[in-house]
Amino acid sequence: MLTSLGYIAGRHTEALDYYRQSPTLLRTLGNACEEANTLTHIGEAHLALGDQRQTRDCWEQAADLYQAQHRDDDARYLRDMVIAIES
């Protein structure tokens, strides 16, 4: 629900306010799949705001979760994106 509100908000700063509440809740609920997706979206919002460090941190966390879930294509995509923003 919180991730949907972040997406619907459409404004990156507001979206981050909603998104930031989600990973902890999802972790508590044991929903690592949605936690990874949410971290990806948080990284996207940070990128749109020009914060590459926060983007990298979120995407690396999400990539680790994706890898643990055997979502190898998703993990590889985010790792490639991290390399691209650091270039």
Side-chain angles (χ1 to χ4, degrees):
M1 170 93 157
L2 292 172
T3 56
S4 296
L5 289 172
Y7 180 78
I8 291 168
R11 292 184 292 268
H12 303 293
T13 303
E14 284 183 46
L16 282 174
D17 289 340
Y18 292 114
Y19 282 140
R20 284 187 185 123
Q21 300 171 52
S22 296
T24 302
L25 176 60
L26 293 166
R27 194 172 309 117
T28 300
L29 296 172
N31 192 341
C33 180
E34 195 57 37
E35 180 184 356
N37 294 337
T38 299
L39 286 166
T40 299
H41 295 309
I42 292 170
E44 291 166 349
H46 280 297
L47 184 63
L49 293 168
D51 190 341
Q52 292 181 344
R53 183 184 58 80
Q54 288 289 348
T55 300
R56 183 188 67 242
D57 291 348
C58 289
W59 284 354
E60 287 175 350
Q61 289 176 54
D64 289 345
L65 287 169
Y66 286 143
Q67 196 72 50
Q69 298 164 24
H70 307 288
R71 295 168 67 185
D72 299 330
D73 291 339
D74 293 325
R76 188 174 17 263
Y77 173 78
L78 283 184
R79 289 192 172 107
D80 289 345
M81 291 300 293
V82 167
I83 291 168
I85 64 171
E86 291 179 342
S87 300

